Amino acid sequence: MPNIEDIEDKVKHIIEELPSEASGLDYKLYPYDIKQDKVNFLKDIIAMLNSEADIGEDKFIIIGIEDKNKYKNGIDKQTWHDDNEWQHLVEKISSKPLIYSGTVDCDDKTFGYFCISKDNTDYVYELKDKVEQKSENNKIKIISEGQAFFRQNSQNVVLFEEDRRRLLEKASILKLNYPDEERYVSVLALVGSWNEQSQGDLALIKSLLGTESNRDVKNAMAFCTGNEKTFRSNNKIWQCKVHKDLLLKSAKYITVILLEKFFEEAGKVFLENGYSKNIRRGIAESIAILGNNLQNFKNIGESIIQREIYQFENKVFRVTNWETYATSIADEFEYFGDAAPGVFLDQLERLFETKDQAFYSYLKNSKPSLERQLSEILSNLAKIEDYFSRSMRILLRLAEIKESFLQTLTGIVSPIFPQTHARWTVRTGVFKGLAKINKDLTWKALIKIINNPNPSFILISKTQYLSISAFSYSTKNERLKSIEKYVEIACTLIDNQVDRMCEMVEAVKYVPLNTEEYIIEKLNENLDELSQKDREKLWNKLQDLLLWSKKHFDENEAPIKERLEPIKKLSEQLENKLGYFDSIRLFNRKWFPLLDGEGEWKDQEKRFFDKREITIKTIYREGGLDSVIAFAKDIEDKLGAGRYLAKAINDKDLKANIENNVGEETDELIEGLVPAVEFNRLTNALSDSSDRVKAKIYACLPISNQSIEKVVKLDVESAQMYWNRVFPRFVENDISLSKYAIKNFNQYGRADKSIEILSRLIENKDQEVPKQMVIDTLKLFNKKEGSQYQFFVERLLLWLHLQKNNDDEITCIKKIEWKYLSYITGEEGCYPKYLQLELSNNPEFFVDLIRKKYEKTENADSEEKLKIHVLLNNWRKVPGLNSNGLIDIEYLNNWIIKVRELARKINLEEQAMQCLGRLLFYSPEDKKGLFINRKIADILENNRDIRTGYLQEGYTFSFCGFNGELEKEFIRKITKYHSYALQADEEGWINLAKALRNLENYFINEKNK
């Protein structure tokens, strides 16, 4: 029991100093009325007891002081109740707390107090019994049984479940009552997390405990078991619940000898095998906590900790097998950066200075995990001005190996919202140094920044233990100055390269007028060295910019006119052959941006296409066919030029062009010309041509009855050439013509074209599609990459599923489903219908798939295993389930008995039952409103393996959305599984209820992450 005189001295000190109200201090002007104010009194006491910020400290309620202006009013001593009355009232709190009450005299006045002792550690405090009171105006106040409160600053707040868990975790580090607890706590706090089944982990703990006895390690594990509020365990994997708090509380127990031993063992953990990933993570966290809280370890000294971290990281970064090493520790890299930023950057710089081949080789072929971690760490370190320049330099060196690191680099220095505390002069100036390392990458980075000053992607990551304050938007002046500086540096890197000059033209859209004039001036300086082709390219870019300005702004407005003037002058300098440049530009493949923007869209298109037609007709009239062919070599849209040539070309040139330009690969000009020529005129031009030439020309046409009449007259070899070249475009909507084309495409190995035609026919529901032709085509088609083929296959399979199929047809469709299992995504409502039915109807088939899935042979077919995995994972048809949603439980039980019998013979009963459990996760609700069919619930209740599979499927979770939506989804799942568990309890399914609570707790943990 504490000394009452000490308590009263503390109370007097508070009255003299009058500190502001806080979570551990409350002022009241008048004493509580024990009858009228018992609800308020109990609320105040419970809230003080649960004050999270003052765990381990005495809390006080001082009576007789006005809380706002801190006026010392004092109290009438006669109104103060005896301590026994208060003690009787606090017995309604569970567990009964240690509360001391009394009065003190100070400044010639009397004040009351309640001291809530720091020895109250039986968290969480709540009301044991319901309490009611009627106020003077007959209003009833109630506190319900189990209700709890806590202090948030100087206010009482209701304690919810999340607050309860947090309070228990934080308070748990005070409850260490075990022999040798100081030694155990200091060691286990340094280890942070470990796997009790790992011999390496246990050996490390034994070494840190300084013992040769395994019994001491067992005692340490028993100590953890007895302190479950401080340590948590799941399948023998232990971790400190609040690692940082526990390690800092243990600081006074950690000696220099223990620390040096810890770092010696840490080096082994990261450089040798035999340790769990759990202990790796725990030790990495501890190193980061040590590095960022040096002042807490006064009995060791800051320099000793810094020395140990330096030696540890120096050792860790000198590995020779980065592929094995970095893959295993990628997730811990962030802690190394947090622990000692300067040391971390030193080590990375050393890797580049020494051109460490192991590191270079690994990074070139690495998976995204290490790349992501390095990006996050370096972007975090760049936030601190002292580490900014070095972090940027390392990111550039990393980009030399993998250019994707440039995205991180540019995001850090976004002119509008920079992710660093470095001043704008430092942010821009660093690029002068980067250009000396790598001009090309520095140029790419600068252009990304200038042409996208407000990027949609900025890597915003949070450090685990390194403290970094928040950022703010740049001021307008800083933003303009930084963009101007970036442009200035970029212009020094143009080096007469036309592509860079074009990118600088694009930058004009994003910079102020004075910066635009600077860009134009620098472009002028680089013109003399450009070739004619490069001048054309730059001129085109300037025309794009002028057209863009015309569409977005009024050119007659003074500010816009002023901005366009220098661009027009530069364009004029390049217009030595304006007509030629302009004509080539007309035939860009991306012609939409070339529309003039005046009037309706159709009118703009017509003016543009008329201009194209006039251009081709003029070239043909003035220079003949040879001029058009020469012109076509310089343009992008040769097909378009061919279409316009068809309107101008004479019969003699048409015949000559066909004969002279049909090689192995048909010229694009011909491909555009031929479909635009009237059919009879074309056949006349081909009258003297060979069958081979005719086949190539007819293949440029859409498939029509007219063209097929000509094709059937060709020799066999030429006909085959036609079907190998023609594309499935049709003039007529003729089912007979489509069937004829499918037959020939299939015959000549082009079933991919056949499924395209069949897909279109099915979409047009007026056409009657032959079922056998669909089956035959799907048999012939060899899977190709591309989402369109996947779409076609799914559409055709879905169509087959909707037909009335006989047994032979179903057998064929099952083979097709198996062939295309990796194609079937379900997005079109398509699934392997008949294979799933076979699983539900045929236990032998199911067990055979289980056997193949788990078969371990050198010649195992990986594609077949993938198909089995896809089929079983997407199986949703519970055996015995009918179309009305009812389950024939006798059928299901017989199916399970047969599967058990067959699977037991091949030692795969456990795997088979778990697979069934994953299926039963999707069983329908009970017709009477229960979340699951009762008979299936009985099966889950009585079979552990099936229940395990059910749980595994419940853990499977994927979600796309923003963080707020993700949290709502977690809350929805937590609520759902909590409700299901209660329903299971009410039905007496104890095992099932436990499994559902495991799911609930899993999503609670995921949400908290």
Side-chain angles (χ1 to χ4, degrees):
M1 179 175 177
N3 189 318
I4 296 300
E5 289 182 1
D6 291 339
I7 292 175
E8 291 182 351
D9 286 343
K10 290 181 181 179
V11 172
K12 288 177 181 178
H13 180 73
I14 291 170
I15 295 169
E16 288 169 1
E17 297 294 327
L18 288 179
S20 297
E21 282 191 334
S23 54
L25 176 63
D26 196 9
Y27 296 126
K28 303 287 183 186
L29 184 58
Y30 302 111
Y32 295 99
D33 184 313
I34 206 160
K35 292 182 179 178
Q36 299 294 327
D37 289 326
K38 59 184 177 181
V39 165
N40 291 335
F41 170 78
L42 288 168
K43 276 186 179 180
D44 290 341
I45 295 297
I46 292 172
M48 283 287 185
L49 285 163
N50 291 327
S51 175
E52 182 181 344
D54 301 280
I55 293 173
E57 305 290 340
D58 291 330
K59 280 81 73 176
F60 293 89
I61 301 174
I62 309 296
I63 314 296
I65 297 175
E66 205 279 321
D67 62 341
K68 291 183 179 177
N69 57 26
K70 299 181 183 177
Y71 171 69
K72 298 178 184 179
N73 186 64
I75 63 170
D76 182 354
K77 207 167 188 176
Q78 299 303 315
T79 63
W80 189 255
H81 293 275
D82 185 78
D83 183 68
N84 288 330
E85 293 180 77
W86 299 118
Q87 295 301 333
H88 177 71
L89 193 54
V90 297
E91 284 182 353
K92 294 183 179 293
I93 299 173
S94 175
S95 301
K96 184 184 176 183
L98 298 172
I99 309 291
Y100 306 98
S101 68
T103 59
V104 296
D105 294 321
C106 188
D107 296 338
D108 299 324
K109 294 180 181 180
T110 300
F111 298 85
Y113 70 84
F114 294 92
C115 174
I116 295 88
S117 173
K118 64 183 178 183
D119 295 326
N120 290 301
T121 57
D122 293 326
Y123 295 96
V124 169
Y125 290 90
E126 60 189 27
L127 201 66
K128 188 193 302 182
D129 302 305
K130 177 179 168 185
V131 174
E132 294 184 10
Q133 74 172 48
K134 188 180 287 186
S135 61
E136 292 179 354
N137 56 7
N138 288 326
K139 286 187 177 180
I140 296 176
K141 292 184 177 180
I142 298 174
I143 315 180
S144 303
E145 175 186 349
Q147 198 163 5
F149 307 86
F150 74 110
R151 293 278 285 180
Q152 197 170 70
N153 299 322
S154 60
Q155 301 294 319
N156 294 342
V157 181
V158 174
L159 191 77
F160 291 105
E161 190 59 35
E162 185 174 342
D163 306 310
R164 221 175 250 270
R165 283 196 297 270
R166 188 179 66 250
L167 177 62
L168 281 168
E169 287 181 358
K170 195 159 186 180
S172 65
I173 59 175
L174 297 177
K175 310 227 14 175
L176 305 171
N177 304 307
Y178 197 89
D180 272 341
E181 73 173 41
E182 293 179 3
R183 188 161 60 102
Y184 292 152
V185 169
S186 59
V187 167
L188 298 177
L190 281 169
V191 173
S193 178
W194 65 95
N195 187 336
E196 196 177 335
Q197 295 173 312
S198 166
Q199 293 303 312
D201 292 8
L202 295 179
L204 183 145
I205 293 171
K206 183 199 288 189
S207 174
L208 294 183
L209 287 171
T211 178
E212 296 296 325
S213 169
N214 289 328
R215 181 174 295 279
D216 213 11
V217 177
K218 289 180 180 178
N219 287 342
M221 297 303 103
F223 167 70
C224 294
T225 305
N227 287 277
E228 59 184 27
K229 292 181 179 179
T230 304
F231 303 96
R232 70 161 65 95
S233 171
N234 182 17
N235 293 329
K236 300 289 185 180
I237 295 171
W238 288 90
Q239 64 182 127
C240 305
K241 281 191 172 180
V242 190
H243 189 185
K244 179 181 176 181
D245 287 358
L246 184 62
L247 185 53
L248 296 183
K249 289 273 185 181
S250 309
K252 57 188 175 184
Y253 307 139
I254 298 173
T255 63
V256 173
I257 294 173
L258 176 58
L259 185 83
E260 289 175 343
K261 188 67 176 174
F262 166 74
F263 275 101
E264 180 185 335
E265 296 293 336
K268 296 177 184 176
V269 168
F270 284 96
L271 294 171
E272 298 176 10
N273 297 322
Y275 299 92
S276 73
K277 63 180 181 181
N278 312 97
I279 203 166
R280 229 176 356 242
R281 168 60 65 90
I283 287 175
E285 286 183 0
S286 291
I287 293 170
I289 295 167
L290 287 165
N292 283 281
N293 296 275
L294 299 170
Q295 70 282 359
N296 289 68
F297 297 85
K298 295 176 183 175
N299 57 323
I300 298 174
E302 295 183 9
S303 61
I304 294 175
I305 297 174
Q306 289 171 330
R307 179 197 70 200
E308 291 295 327
I309 292 175
Y310 173 79
Q311 291 177 350
F312 166 76
E313 292 200 6
N314 189 43
K315 189 187 301 180
V316 162
F317 275 82
R318 291 181 182 273
V319 294
T320 54
N321 187 353
W322 268 93
E323 183 163 2
T324 301
Y325 173 65
T327 302
S328 64
I329 68 154
D331 290 338
E332 280 71 58
F333 253 61
E334 59 181 312
Y335 298 107
F336 297 167
D338 277 10
V343 175
F344 184 81
L345 295 173
D346 284 345
Q347 295 303 326
L348 284 175
E349 285 177 333
R350 182 190 58 77
L351 290 172
F352 288 111
E353 287 167 5
T354 59
K355 296 183 179 177
D356 189 296
Q357 290 306 308
F359 178 71
Y360 274 51
S361 175
Y362 169 69
L363 199 60
K364 283 178 183 176
N365 306 301
S366 67
K367 293 179 181 178
S369 55
L370 179 65
E371 186 180 335
R372 186 191 72 249
Q373 286 289 356
L374 282 172
S375 289
E376 289 182 359
I377 298 164
L378 290 166
S379 67
N380 281 330
L381 299 187
K383 293 171 183 175
I384 304 167
E385 189 169 41
D386 287 350
Y387 303 123
F388 169 76
S389 297
R390 294 174 65 194
S391 299
M392 294 288 282
R393 181 170 62 190
I394 290 171
L395 280 167
L396 186 77
R397 300 303 301 271
L398 288 167
E400 290 178 325
I401 304 171
K402 274 201 169 178
E403 201 168 303
S404 52
F405 282 103
L406 271 191
Q407 190 172 34
T408 304
L409 185 150
T410 55
I412 292 168
V413 292
S414 161
I416 293 178
F417 192 45
Q419 296 294 298
T420 175
H421 288 293
R423 290 158 293 177
W424 76 267
T425 51
V426 176
R427 296 198 304 268
T428 54
V430 73
F431 282 88
K432 295 178 183 177
L434 298 183
K436 295 174 183 176
I437 299 170
N438 190 311
K439 275 188 179 183
D440 292 340
L441 286 176
T442 304
W443 169 266
K444 288 182 180 180
L446 285 167
I447 287 299
K448 278 177 180 284
I449 297 164
I450 297 164
N451 289 357
N452 192 12
N454 188 21
S456 57
F457 172 84
I458 295 178
L459 181 63
I460 300 177
S461 56
K462 186 178 179 183
T463 57
Q464 294 289 339
Y465 297 105
L466 191 62
S467 179
I468 300 172
S469 57
F471 309 109
S472 59
Y473 283 94
S474 295
T475 64
K476 183 179 180 181
N477 186 46
E478 281 185 352
R479 187 160 66 248
L480 293 175
K481 283 186 174 179
S482 60
I483 290 174
E484 185 180 331
K485 197 68 178 175
Y486 289 135
V487 167
E488 184 183 312
I489 298 168
C491 284
T492 66
L493 304 176
I494 290 177
D495 292 341
N496 296 315
Q497 295 184 41
V498 71
D499 289 334
R500 293 187 180 179
M501 295 172 78
C502 289
E503 286 176 302
M504 288 310 295
V505 170
E506 183 70 17
V508 168
K509 295 179 183 178
Y510 308 102
V511 300
L513 178 59
N514 64 319
T515 310
E516 175 195 329
E517 290 172 342
Y518 181 82
I519 290 173
I520 299 299
E521 179 188 334
K522 292 299 174 184
L523 291 176
N524 257 313
E525 292 175 5
N526 285 271
L527 288 183
D528 292 341
E529 302 298 324
L530 293 182
S531 66
Q532 186 69 3
K533 190 173 182 180
D534 286 347
R535 282 170 173 260
E536 178 189 336
K537 189 171 187 177
L538 180 58
W539 181 86
N540 266 303
K541 190 65 182 178
L542 289 166
Q543 297 308 303
D544 288 343
L545 179 59
L546 289 168
L547 190 57
W548 176 84
S549 301
K550 183 178 180 180
K551 289 179 180 179
H552 290 82
F553 307 105
D554 183 351
E555 289 181 282
N556 296 316
E557 289 184 10
I560 303 303
K561 193 171 184 179
E562 187 180 4
R563 290 208 62 156
L564 294 179
E565 199 58 39
I567 301 168
K568 289 179 177 178
K569 284 183 178 178
L570 181 61
S571 179
E572 287 168 4
Q573 287 181 251
L574 293 163
E575 291 175 359
N576 295 328
K577 295 181 179 179
L578 176 58
Y580 182 70
F581 280 4
D582 197 33
S583 297
I584 289 176
R585 177 179 169 78
L586 276 174
F587 287 88
N588 286 353
R589 281 203 179 90
K590 295 180 180 178
W591 53 267
F592 298 102
L594 303 180
L595 300 181
D596 56 29
E598 295 178 1
E600 294 293 325
W601 178 263
K602 288 183 178 179
D603 295 335
Q604 293 181 50
E605 278 191 326
K606 186 177 184 309
R607 284 195 298 273
F608 177 79
F609 292 135
D610 286 349
K611 199 172 179 181
R612 274 188 162 193
E613 185 175 341
I614 291 167
T615 299
I616 293 297
K617 285 182 175 179
T618 302
I619 294 173
Y620 180 70
R621 185 177 64 249
E622 294 178 355
L625 182 60
D626 289 343
S627 293
V628 176
I629 293 171
F631 174 74
K633 291 177 181 177
D634 292 331
I635 63 175
E636 293 179 355
D637 188 6
K638 295 177 176 61
L639 288 171
R643 286 194 293 271
Y644 295 116
L645 178 59
K647 297 180 180 182
I649 195 168
N650 60 42
D651 290 344
K652 179 182 176 183
D653 283 343
L654 175 61
K655 186 176 181 69
N657 197 23
I658 288 171
E659 289 294 337
N660 296 333
N661 289 285
V662 180
E664 285 303 314
E665 295 296 328
T666 309
D667 185 271
E668 282 186 65
L669 188 68
I670 292 288
E671 290 179 4
L673 168 71
V674 168
V677 174
E678 194 271 328
F679 187 76
N680 288 333
R681 186 181 174 205
L682 181 66
T683 54
N684 287 334
L686 288 169
S687 58
D688 297 329
S689 299
S690 67
D691 279 5
R692 189 175 182 82
V693 170
K694 290 176 182 177
K696 291 177 181 178
I697 294 301
Y698 291 144
C700 296
L701 298 170
I703 299 172
S704 66
N705 285 309
Q706 265 187 327
S707 61
I708 293 301
E709 281 179 19
K710 301 295 181 183
V711 171
V712 296
K713 296 176 181 177
L714 300 177
D715 61 56
V716 175
E717 185 181 343
S718 298
Q720 182 175 349
M721 177 189 293
Y722 170 83
W723 289 109
N724 282 333
R725 297 170 75 103
V726 73
F727 283 89
R729 295 167 295 158
F730 292 84
V731 173
E732 301 102 332
N733 187 16
D734 184 335
I735 185 68
S736 299
L737 185 61
S738 296
K739 287 162 64 175
Y740 181 77
I742 291 168
K743 175 186 172 184
N744 281 279
F745 278 132
N746 286 349
Q747 179 181 344
Y748 294 113
R750 298 183 76 194
D752 56 321
K753 305 305 174 191
S754 297
I755 66 163
E756 189 177 335
I757 299 170
L758 285 167
S759 180
R760 284 202 297 265
L761 290 174
I762 286 169
E763 188 178 13
N764 183 359
K765 296 181 181 177
D766 297 335
Q767 302 284 3
E768 185 178 340
V769 181
K771 189 197 301 183
Q772 193 58 46
M773 182 171 277
V774 175
I775 292 173
D776 292 342
T777 300
L778 285 171
K779 283 181 181 178
L780 288 169
F781 175 58
N782 291 318
K783 288 189 294 182
K784 286 190 174 184
E785 295 298 324
S787 57
Q788 75 272 25
Y789 293 113
Q790 188 168 330
F791 170 79
F792 294 149
V793 168
E794 285 192 306
R795 175 179 279 181
L796 294 177
L797 261 177
L798 182 60
W799 181 85
L800 286 173
H801 290 158
L802 295 174
Q803 309 306 305
K804 290 182 179 179
N805 299 306
N806 59 40
D807 290 345
D808 290 340
E809 288 169 338
I810 288 172
T811 300
C812 289
I813 296 170
K814 277 194 288 191
K815 291 178 181 178
I816 291 169
E817 287 177 346
W818 180 259
K819 178 179 179 179
Y820 296 109
L821 261 177
S822 58
Y823 256 27
I824 302 172
T825 63
E827 290 181 8
E828 292 296 313
C830 177
Y831 64 98
K833 173 183 175 180
Y834 292 117
L835 284 175
Q836 291 199 7
L837 280 171
E838 185 72 9
L839 282 170
S840 302
N841 297 335
N842 187 346
E844 287 85 357
F845 178 61
F846 171 69
V847 174
D848 190 50
L849 289 184
I850 293 292
R851 176 186 63 78
K852 290 177 179 176
K853 179 178 179 179
Y854 292 98
E855 192 174 39
K856 295 180 179 178
T857 61
E858 290 183 6
N859 299 320
D861 187 339
S862 58
E863 185 178 358
E864 183 180 59
K865 283 183 179 288
L866 175 62
K867 288 179 178 178
I868 293 169
H869 175 80
V870 169
L871 179 59
L872 294 178
N873 272 29
N874 293 288
W875 181 26
R876 299 290 182 267
K877 175 76 169 62
V878 177
L881 180 68
N882 64 27
S883 58
N884 296 321
L886 299 175
I887 292 179
D888 183 340
I889 200 66
E890 183 180 353
Y891 180 93
L892 176 58
N893 283 329
N894 290 335
W895 189 94
I896 293 172
I897 290 168
K898 185 64 176 177
V899 166
R900 281 185 180 282
E901 177 191 329
L902 295 170
R904 195 176 291 128
K905 291 178 181 178
I906 55 175
N907 297 319
L908 290 173
E909 182 182 1
E910 178 184 339
Q911 291 84 343
M913 291 300 100
Q914 286 182 6
C915 184
L916 174 62
R918 296 184 81 109
L919 169 66
L920 295 184
F921 185 84
Y922 300 98
S923 60
E925 295 180 355
D926 191 80
K927 293 297 182 183
K928 294 183 179 179
L930 194 66
F931 75 95
I932 192 172
N933 180 283
R934 294 175 185 276
K935 297 296 184 181
I936 287 181
D938 287 335
I939 292 171
L940 289 166
E941 175 69 14
N942 297 316
N943 189 293
R944 185 187 64 187
D945 291 332
I946 297 178
R947 199 165 56 250
T948 298
Y950 183 89
L951 259 178
Q952 288 170 349
E953 191 63 23
Y955 291 142
T956 304
F957 175 69
S958 63
F959 179 80
C960 292
F962 297 106
N963 284 341
E965 295 167 345
L966 178 60
E967 185 172 3
K968 287 177 185 176
E969 180 65 15
F970 280 137
I971 291 170
R972 189 186 70 76
K973 286 187 175 291
I974 291 163
T975 306
K976 179 176 78 171
Y977 291 123
H978 179 75
S979 170
Y980 288 178
L982 291 177
Q983 290 182 50
D985 276 334
E986 289 170 0
E987 297 293 332
W989 295 317
I990 298 171
N991 292 328
L992 180 56
K994 179 183 176 184
L996 291 164
R997 286 196 171 87
N998 285 342
L999 282 173
E1000 178 191 358
N1001 291 329
Y1002 170 78
F1003 285 107
I1004 288 171
N1005 291 333
E1006 289 299 302
K1007 174 179 171 290
N1008 291 339
K1009 286 179 184 178

